[in-house]
Amino acid sequence: MSKTSLKIGPLPDKTPQKLTVLIEPSLASELEDYARVHSQLHGEDAAVAVLVPHMLEAFLASDAGFRKARRSLMAAKAQ
């Protein structure tokens, strides 16, 4: 049997991981306000708990220093 090769390899584990954090009341209020503004702009309700993972992803993706340090960390792990 010939081995077929695909450009997409095995899919990563996408099982959600629960993370509990405590935040200051002022940040909680800002997040609620953000959710309201988001809902107004996009015409559908979005709970803070749904928005926060997207916010964190966007933050990490925009942090060039973190991306560079993470590449070094991953390279060190691979050795």
Side-chain angles (χ1 to χ4, degrees), residues 1-53:
M1 177 185 343
S2 68
K3 184 171 180 167
T4 302
S5 177
L6 299 176
K7 291 193 182 271
I8 298 174
L11 297 177
D13 182 7
K14 291 287 199 168
T15 305
Q17 303 293 308
K18 185 172 182 168
L19 174 67
T20 302
V21 297
L22 299 174
I23 60 174
E24 298 290 327
S26 60
L27 180 55
S29 178
E30 287 184 65
L31 290 170
E32 288 293 339
D33 290 345
Y34 189 98
R36 278 190 214 95
V37 170
H38 186 277
S39 295
Q40 290 171 355
L41 285 174
H42 298 286
E44 57 184 319
D45 287 340
V48 169
V50 172
L51 291 172
V52 167

